[in-house]
Amino acid sequence: MKLSEFIRPASLAEARKALRELGPKGMPLAGGTALHFMQSKTPVTAVDLTGLGLSFIRRKGGFFSIGAATPLSDIQRYRSPRWAMHEICRRISTHQIRNVSTIGGNICRVFPWADLPVVLLAMNARMVIYSGKESEMGADEFFSSQPARLFSGGNLLTAVKIPVLKAQHGFGSVKANRNAAAFSLVTIAALLELDGTTIKSARVAAGSAIPFPKRLPEVEAALVGREAVTDVFKKAAAAGGTAAKWNVREGMSADYMRQLAEVSLLDALERAAEFARGRVD
Amino acid sequence: MTRTSHTVSFTLNGEKKTFDTRPDEKLLTLLRREGYRGTKYGCGQGTCGACTVLVDGKATYACLLYSMQAEGRKVRTIESAGTFDKPGEFQKELIAAGAVQCGYCIPGMVMSATALMESEKDFSDEIVKEYMDGNLCRCTGYEKIWVALRRVLDRREAATAKRPVAGKKTSSKGAKK
């Protein structure tokens, strides 16, 4: 994307005002990596958000709050009890990209290969949006279609709130790709709430191999009320295989992608159950 | 609000510099235009790592950073790591191991390794691979680069006595999997 100007607002209000005035000729910039791959016929003005104090990770109440301009490498390195976001961030692209790309950039304009929307859907995250004042939106609504729709009026994502997992919660994410730095072929994330050995609730989401990240209610229905054991996970994964239209990718058939999704679903569910039972890595 | 002039000021290899630029000029282009040609143009799309520089100590692809984003920051290029007459520690080991064929990837490799050595105390294979996973080499198959880097890291670990070199399990293979 061609840049014609580069401005550095001193506050969120200034940033919003600039973006409102610029309309389609303005583009918020944090890490900026995505801008290099976006096409536009006319140059845009970059509105730099990196000086607005939006890079942080804090635990407050029942949430981890991650600033929208927090680099993925910071999320990857952060550690706290019942924290699981590092798992997927370690798998996103390369070290150099993770040092620059931000969580906000990853989710405000969702590219087909984006991993974080899948994780945030499963985690039931809440997005904090500044529109002159801050308000929150749940992941289901935020990712109901392209989130860029929410920011066309100059509004800005300021933070992502991740619920602190409780003792009986387990989270697992799996990313299948050709090599460590490649875009995802299939990304799966699963959050299980156990009551003893029974699955009390489940949130399972998929991305990359489908047109847009989404939850898989068929998989969730196949889990709730059943034992957290491999046989149940296999049946739920099979339900996932038929629940979505899996894309043909890079020479791989749709049927291969379906199988890859099923295997990834099984792995994610097993990892989530291990987490609930005390896995900490 | 600050509407920037088309100049950028940052500390480059320890010296404060100001450059004329354009809003859409990449840091890589600016550096090479200004004579810092050790930083290589490889893929131009954040894949190969030949253009890796350190920005505030963190390894960054200069091809995916607009020059204006470097404002006020500390940028280090391969020129800060050593010279032909006085190569840095890793550069010496790369030569000793015969790890350099075409050499195009080496500046990026050295900068990623510099970030690793300055940021981490744990040089386990897993951590090392994490820091080096954004640098591709299409000549050597990585093994000799890995051997050279391990020699440096093992020495550093021995020097800090965190782990003795003898008996340490490290792999000379599989730098990239």
Side-chain angles (χ1 to χ4, degrees), chain A residues 109-153:
Chain A
R109 185 177 298 272
V110 173
F111 289 94
W113 54 81
D115 300 298
L116 285 176
V118 181
V119 170
L120 298 180
L121 275 166
M123 286 274 203
N124 200 15
R126 297 192 65 76
M127 271 43 82
V128 183
I129 296 170
Y130 177 80
S131 57
K133 59 181 182 181
E134 286 193 330
S135 58
E136 293 187 13
M137 180 180 288
D140 289 335
E141 186 181 356
F142 188 85
F143 294 115
S144 60
S145 62
Q146 181 58 259
R149 74 190 188 281
L150 302 167
F151 306 108
S152 56

Side-chain angles (χ1 to χ4, degrees), chain B residues 4 13 20 24 31 55 57 72 76 87 95 117 122 136 143 156:
Chain B
T4 58
N13 297 336
D20 291 329
D24 63 347
L31 290 172
V55 178
R76 284 158 62 193
I95 296 164
M117 289 185 268
D122 172 11
L136 302 181
E143 290 199 22
R156 291 193 175 208

